[in-house]
Amino acid sequence: MRLFLAQLYPRRRMTLAGQYLVLQLLIIAVVLAGVITVALTQATNNFEKIEGRRSLSAAESLAANPLLRVLLPQAEPEMGSALPAMGESVRSTSGLQFVIIADPQGTVITSSYPDEVGTSILHPESAVAEGRGWTGEIWRNGNHVLIAQVPVLDDDGKMVGIVSAGQS
């Protein structure tokens, strides 16, 4: 049977022009794949840079609020409505997905996600425990999250809390 099919449809060698065409198509495919990879990487980096700045700006704005700086030293989880209202106000005006207010040890006092109250927001890569603002990427509940954390300082420069803001 094979012999019969081989005689019916003889195999031809690809011409030199055909070989060049295949080579050119392969080169174009490799170059196109490289261009797409570079473009996606640049777009992702640009997005993270811009959204990181927006998160940092919102967190710094809330941390500088005089009322927050007064209320935070005595605050406890689920105490009153002033801190949650302040956090929600900043979250809704900035367009971020979450704003978290925590004590200096990183224990959440109020959050846009109520199930996080009482948990810790400190991350190993964050510099906020040393009193410096930080932006970065973390994985939370299986989601990639852009986050900014800033310290809340009282009038004497002592850290009285942490504000964290960001989005998935």
Side-chain angles (χ1 to χ4, degrees):
M1 183 74 165
R2 269 189 185 172
L3 188 57
F4 174 73
L5 289 175
Q7 289 173 350
L8 214 76
Y9 301 104
R11 215 168 174 194
R12 295 183 186 168
R13 280 197 72 173
M14 191 179 288
T15 65
L16 186 59
Q19 291 175 1
Y20 278 132
L21 178 63
V22 170
L23 178 64
Q24 287 174 344
L25 290 175
L26 285 174
I27 291 171
I28 289 171
V30 168
V31 169
L32 188 59
V35 167
I36 289 172
T37 301
V38 168
L40 286 175
T41 302
Q42 285 179 339
T44 301
N45 289 341
N46 193 31
F47 173 79
E48 290 175 354
K49 184 177 177 182
I50 290 169
E51 294 305 315
R53 284 184 192 156
R54 187 166 65 131
S55 299
L56 184 62
S57 175
E60 286 175 343
S61 174
L62 181 57
N65 187 316
L67 183 59
L68 178 72
R69 293 167 49 188
V70 168
L71 292 176
L72 200 50
Q74 298 87 17
E76 294 180 18
E78 299 181 10
M79 177 195 96
S81 61
L83 293 179
M86 291 169 64
E88 183 59 24
S89 173
V90 168
R91 188 201 63 77
S92 63
T93 57
S94 66
L96 297 173
Q97 287 184 332
F98 65 89
V99 171
I100 300 170
I101 301 172
D103 65 15
Q105 291 75 36
T107 304
V108 176
I109 295 171
T110 184
S111 172
S112 301
Y113 302 119
D115 58 327
E116 290 185 346
V117 173
T119 63
S120 177
I121 63 167
L122 294 179
H123 303 282
E125 58 271 357
S126 175
V128 75
E130 291 95 41
R132 296 188 324 245
W134 173 78
T135 58
E137 306 168 35
I138 61 168
W139 286 92
R140 183 168 72 186
N141 300 332
N143 294 323
H144 181 247
V145 178
L146 295 173
I147 190 170
Q149 293 182 335
V150 296
V152 180
L153 306 175
D154 65 7
D155 293 333
D156 299 326
K158 179 183 170 207
M159 188 166 83
V160 294
I162 299 169
V163 173
S164 180
Q167 62 186 352
S168 300

